[in-house]
């Protein structure tokens, strides 16, 4: 069932376990440990099949390798997926997380987990009861806390870098920005953007959540089904990936794509399509690295000032990549991948 995925994957190790009590599949995907232990979040989600869940984990693990390297952190890339029939609550959730913690602990530090879709710092507290290889526990339990504000801050810096390159100034006043997905990262990003004077639009598959955020920050709520064709200066995807494809790119009505979502491109060719369409693309694994910077930095004892400086440096990295893209006629995605791979090769 999984052979076709594993035979074509370029990672190091995939651990698969079926959790009989919950009928959930556990997948731990270790893509690279060249720069350090593979670090990536734990995604809890319902999938059409276990095959789809593993495919998601393998793809995300590879992206984490690039993200950690581009951010110049001492971690490799990994990802875990808990493919559940339905997202559990209460005792069922706790018991599943404890059994998952045993699995991660058995890997001896090859993989370091954290929170991701449908998991949070409270879940990492549970995992930490049986596993020492976990980041992002709550502050009261000695952890770095929620990395979402770090991700949002990094994306904010990345949007300013993108706007500067595309429009000649990083002033966001009056810029029409559409944030797709206003969960923990998107909602905080929306606050930062409105504080900077942007004319903000927000969308979410949960229409009530979109309207609540819009009301709180003074934005306009947009129907999630119309996001791709909505005219704006900057489109900021902050929900699930796979939003940029041969089908959607021709419908974009923006100058810049810069958001927090992972794996925004459906395939590598999509970066070329964006370039040909005159759309500046901020590579996702560069602009959304604030979360892993937050986790790695506080684990290493950085001060708040050091953390702020590293998050702001996402601006500098994108500035470099945009210049290389223009100067060499390559896509911004290719320039970012080259930066990440050069650091991996050097190690």
């Amino acid at each position: 069932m999984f052979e076709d995925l594993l035979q074509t994957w370029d990672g190091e190790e995939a651990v698969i376990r079926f959790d009989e009590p919950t009928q959930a599949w556990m997948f731990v995907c270790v893509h690279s440990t060249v720069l350090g232990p593979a670090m990536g979040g734990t995604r809890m989600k319902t999938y059409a099949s276990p095959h789809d869940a593993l495919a998601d984990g393998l793809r995300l693990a590879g992206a984490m390798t690039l993200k950690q390297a581009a951010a110049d952190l001492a971690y490799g890339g990994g990802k875990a997926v808990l493919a559940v029939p339905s997202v559990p609550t209460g005792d069922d959730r706790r018991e599943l997380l404890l059994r998952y913690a045993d699995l991660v602990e058995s890997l001896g530090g090859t993989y370091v987990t954290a929170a991701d879709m449908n998991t949070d710092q409270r879940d990492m507290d549970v995992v930490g009861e049986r596993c020492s290889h976990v980041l992002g526990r709550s502050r009261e339990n000695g952890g770095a806390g929620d990395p979402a504000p770090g991700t949002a801050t990094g994306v904010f810096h990345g949007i300013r870098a993108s706007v500067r390159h595309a429009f000649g100034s990083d002033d966001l006043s009056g810029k029409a920005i559409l944030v797709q997905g206003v969960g923990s990262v998107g909602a905080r990003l929306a606050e930062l953007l409105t504080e900077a004077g942007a004319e903000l639009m927000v969308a979410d598959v949960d229409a009530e959540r979109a309207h609540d955020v819009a009301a709180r920050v003074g934005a306009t709520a947009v129907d999630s089904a119309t996001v791709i064709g909505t005219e704006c200066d900057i489109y900021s995807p902050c929900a699930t990936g796979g939003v940029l494809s041969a089908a959607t790119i021709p419908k974009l009505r923006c100058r810049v794509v810069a958001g927090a979502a992972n794996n925004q491109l459906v395939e590598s060719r999509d970066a070329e399509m964006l370039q040909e369409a005159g759309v500046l693309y901020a590579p996702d694994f560069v602009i959304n690295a604030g979360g892993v910077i937050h986790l790695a930095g506080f684990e290493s004892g950085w001060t708040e000032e050091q953390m702020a400086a590293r998050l702001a440096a996402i601006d500098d990295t994108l500035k470099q990549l945009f210049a290389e893209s223009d100067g060499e006629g390559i896509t911004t995605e290719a320039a970012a991948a080259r930066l990440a791979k050069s650091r991996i090769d050097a190690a």
Side-chain angles (χ1 to χ4, degrees):
M1 180 169 57
F2 303 133
E3 292 90 338
D4 60 325
L5 295 173
L6 297 173
Q7 288 172 353
T8 58
W9 189 49
D10 63 348
E12 296 178 6
E13 179 181 23
V15 180
I16 301 170
R17 180 171 296 178
F18 180 67
D19 187 61
E20 195 277 333
T22 60
Q23 298 294 294
W25 287 87
M26 300 179 185
F27 300 101
V28 178
C29 307
V30 175
H31 182 263
S32 174
T33 56
V34 173
L35 295 175
M39 188 255 278
T42 300
R43 177 164 294 196
M44 186 185 294
K45 184 180 172 183
T46 299
Y47 291 85
S49 71
H51 185 277
D52 291 345
L54 177 58
D56 200 21
L58 297 178
R59 183 177 66 253
L60 290 165
M64 288 302 299
T65 295
L66 296 176
K67 182 184 297 190
Q68 306 284 7
D72 201 17
L73 299 174
Y75 286 96
K79 204 74 173 184
V81 170
L82 301 180
V84 293
S86 60
V87 176
T89 59
D91 290 342
D92 288 343
R93 184 184 186 93
R94 174 177 170 79
E95 292 303 316
L96 172 63
L97 288 169
L98 289 174
R99 289 189 292 272
Y100 166 67
D102 291 338
L103 175 60
V104 174
E105 183 68 16
S106 73
L107 301 181
T110 300
Y111 171 66
V112 179
T113 195
D116 193 70
M117 182 182 293
N118 291 325
T119 59
D120 58 21
Q121 57 185 325
R122 293 166 298 180
D123 294 316
M124 294 308 103
D125 286 343
V126 174
V127 171
E129 292 178 23
R130 290 191 183 173
C131 178
S132 56
H133 310 294
V134 55
L135 301 178
R137 290 176 295 166
S138 64
R139 292 291 181 95
E140 51 267 33
N141 281 289
D146 182 10
T151 304
T153 299
V155 173
F156 176 75
H157 286 300
I159 288 175
R160 294 189 63 160
S162 303
V163 168
R164 184 191 313 116
H165 190 80
F167 298 101
S169 168
D170 64 5
D171 185 3
L172 300 182
S173 298
K175 289 291 184 294
I177 304 178
L178 173 53
V179 176
Q180 179 187 29
V182 284
S184 56
V185 173
R188 176 56 182 150
L189 176 62
E191 294 171 357
L192 295 172
L193 293 171
T194 52
E195 289 168 6
E199 294 183 1
L200 193 67
M201 294 171 278
V202 298
D204 198 285
V205 292
D206 183 338
E208 183 177 354
R209 179 163 60 187
H211 283 284
D212 287 346
V213 171
R216 188 173 77 247
V217 303
T220 301
V222 174
D223 187 337
S224 62
T226 67
V227 164
I228 293 298
T230 298
E231 187 171 350
C232 57
D233 295 312
I234 301 98
Y235 165 46
S236 184
C238 296
T240 55
V243 294
L244 301 172
S245 68
T248 62
I249 290 171
K251 300 176 183 177
L252 290 174
R253 297 294 180 265
C254 62
R255 176 67 179 88
V256 172
V257 175
N262 289 311
N263 297 102
Q264 294 172 27
L265 305 176
V266 172
E267 54 184 342
S268 58
R269 163 66 182 157
D270 297 328
E272 298 172 13
M273 289 190 66
L274 287 166
Q275 187 177 50
E276 292 164 1
V279 176
L280 179 66
Y281 174 58
D284 51 28
F285 60 85
V286 176
I287 192 173
N288 68 10
V292 294
I293 291 171
H294 171 99
L295 293 171
F298 283 127
E299 180 73 13
S300 301
W302 293 357
T303 64
E304 294 287 349
E305 291 74 18
Q306 289 173 307
M307 179 62 67
R310 286 297 298 269
L311 292 173
I314 289 175
D315 181 313
D316 298 326
T317 302
L318 285 171
K319 179 180 179 181
Q320 172 191 334
L321 298 177
F322 294 154
E324 291 177 2
S325 172
D326 288 348
E328 301 178 36
I330 61 176
T331 66
T332 56
E333 177 83 357
R338 183 174 65 183
L339 170 65
K341 290 173 182 175
S342 70
R343 289 173 174 166
I344 295 169
D345 291 343

